[in-house]
Amino acid sequence: MTSIELTHLDRRTTATAAREVMKRLFVGLGVLPFLMLAAMITFSLMSDNFLTSRNLINVARQSSYLTIVSLGQMLALISGGIDLSVGTTLAVTSVVSAMAMVASLAAMPDMVGLAILIGVFAGLAAGVAMGAINGLGISLFGVNPFMMTLGMSSVGFGLALYLTSGIPVQGMPEAFGAILGFGTLFGVPVPIYATAVLIALVYLLLNWTRLGRYIYAVGGNIKASRLSGIEPKRTLFKTYVLCSALTTIAGLMLTARLATGEANIGGSMPLESIAACVIGGVSLSGGSGRVGGVVLGAVFIGLVQNGMNLAHVDSYLQIVAIGAILILAVIADRVRLRLASEMTN
């Protein structure tokens, strides 16, 4: 064999080995690390401000709301369902909490702290109530999660518009926004701390509690879980209540940031939260998903939105981009599963 033929053989061997390594990395890590790397390189070339510490902290703060909602969406997806009402839950929480604060402050002008507390509890009650209704419909009456949460999305949005007539609720206590919306601790925004605490709590729930194991079991095979002594109806009810509770907290944080109660916030949140989960490796078939992947998925979407803003990309085109990323992630996940099956066999 000539030296030229040996050289070509070495090149083909090297290329084959490189493809095999990339395949194994793709199967093991998923599509997210590759998307994250591509986004970091692309937007850092498009803007000198992208990789600055100030901008990255801003990305973390902006991503905190989506991260919290995505954690709730993850619970619903792991259980084998979906929650399309997360955006409406944000809106109802925002409107009810703002209206309660304004009314309480008008009745008790000198008791700002109590007015804030009343507004927070009112918002929590309204948001969790939506989750409870979703949970009852899905678990007790067997309504398909897609249809149940889609219906509740319409009901909640109409209720928020009815309460406000489409006009933002203003006159909230400034202290509420100063602490939860714009407050910082050691130079880090308060929403980031709140998000970190919730990430830890959801991680503990899924990995160290009986309810977490039940959620995975019900999503993996509801019939087998029932035969194992698990009560699927109770588990599903708790899952949707927890999903709405997390979304409600995000709604309160967004309300504090905006300093108004908005009936129109959260319109894109169902798509973005599902995208964050799917990109992060949560299966749409249920029974599979990890907290770390979802957090990275939400941060990735925040990075993309921030990068497109710095690059002056039209806001409507940003929605197109998020939808395209979701489709790409679903396709990549299917390819990854097929490759994993081939490697196993």
Side-chain angles (χ1 to χ4, degrees):
M1 187 176 290
T2 66
S3 60
I4 295 176
E5 290 174 331
L6 286 173
T7 301
H8 285 306
L9 180 61
D10 289 340
R11 288 178 179 175
R12 286 198 297 271
T13 303
T14 303
T16 302
R19 284 196 298 269
E20 187 65 24
V21 170
M22 291 298 293
K23 182 190 294 186
R24 290 186 178 278
L25 284 174
F26 177 63
V27 171
L29 300 176
V31 70
L32 181 56
F34 298 96
L35 292 176
M36 189 79 77
L37 181 62
M40 297 285 283
I41 294 173
T42 301
F43 293 121
S44 62
L45 293 174
M46 296 177 69
S47 174
D48 294 334
N49 297 322
F50 181 72
L51 288 180
T52 61
S53 58
R54 180 179 180 181
N55 185 60
L56 292 178
I57 290 176
N58 184 47
V59 169
R61 180 189 57 77
Q62 290 177 334
S63 302
S64 60
Y65 314 111
L66 174 59
T67 299
I68 297 172
V69 177
S70 299
L71 290 173
Q73 186 72 255
M74 176 187 66
L75 297 178
L77 289 173
I78 290 175
S79 71
I82 195 170
D83 193 345
L84 299 177
S85 64
V86 290
T88 300
T89 302
L90 286 174
V92 170
T93 299
S94 180
V95 167
V96 171
S97 61
M99 293 180 69
M101 285 185 204
V102 171
S104 301
L105 192 61
M108 304 173 292
D110 299 326
M111 305 185 72
V112 177
L114 181 59
I116 292 175
L117 197 61
I118 291 173
V120 168
F121 276 108
L124 284 171
V128 171
M130 290 191 64
I133 295 173
N134 280 333
L136 285 173
I138 294 166
S139 63
L140 187 61
F141 297 104
V143 182
N144 181 278
F146 181 92
M147 293 306 302
M148 184 68 207
T149 57
L150 181 64
M152 279 302 297
S153 178
S154 178
V155 170
F157 182 61
L159 180 62
L161 288 175
Y162 174 77
L163 291 173
T164 62
S165 298
I167 302 172
V169 180
Q170 299 180 342
M172 296 168 54
E174 294 182 4
F176 181 58
I179 297 172
L180 196 56
F182 298 92
T184 60
L185 184 62
F186 304 114
V188 179
V190 170
I192 296 178
Y193 288 107
T195 304
V197 171
L198 291 173
I199 291 171
L201 290 175
V202 174
Y203 177 84
L204 292 174
L205 168 70
L206 287 175
N207 294 280
W208 295 92
T209 68
R210 183 180 300 175
L211 177 59
R213 294 192 296 272
Y214 286 0
I215 292 174
Y216 278 111
V218 169
N221 190 323
I222 191 169
K223 293 182 179 179
S225 66
R226 187 180 290 110
L227 293 174
S228 301
I230 299 173
E231 180 51 59
K233 292 183 178 180
R234 186 175 300 175
T235 301
L236 288 172
F237 176 78
K238 292 178 180 178
T239 298
Y240 282 91
V241 169
L242 285 172
C243 177
S244 288
L246 287 165
T247 305
T248 299
I249 295 172
L252 290 171
M253 292 167 58
L254 263 175
T255 303
R257 183 70 183 178
L258 297 172
T260 57
E262 298 277 353
N264 294 313
I265 67 170
S268 62
M269 197 61 78
L271 171 63
E272 292 178 4
S273 63
I274 294 170
C277 290
V278 173
I279 294 170
V282 179
S283 173
L284 293 175
S285 302
S288 176
R290 292 291 181 265
V291 171
V294 172
V295 173
L296 288 178
V299 172
F300 167 73
I301 291 176
L303 276 174
V304 171
Q305 292 174 334
N306 178 265
M308 288 191 291
N309 285 332
L310 291 177
H312 305 292
V313 177
D314 189 274
S315 59
Y316 298 118
L317 290 179
Q318 294 185 25
I319 299 175
V320 175
I322 298 300
I325 290 171
L326 174 59
I327 295 172
L328 174 63
V330 173
I331 294 173
D333 187 60
R334 294 294 182 184
V335 173
R336 184 177 67 87
L337 291 175
R338 188 173 71 245
L339 290 174
S341 178
E342 292 175 356
M343 292 170 62
T344 304
N345 296 331

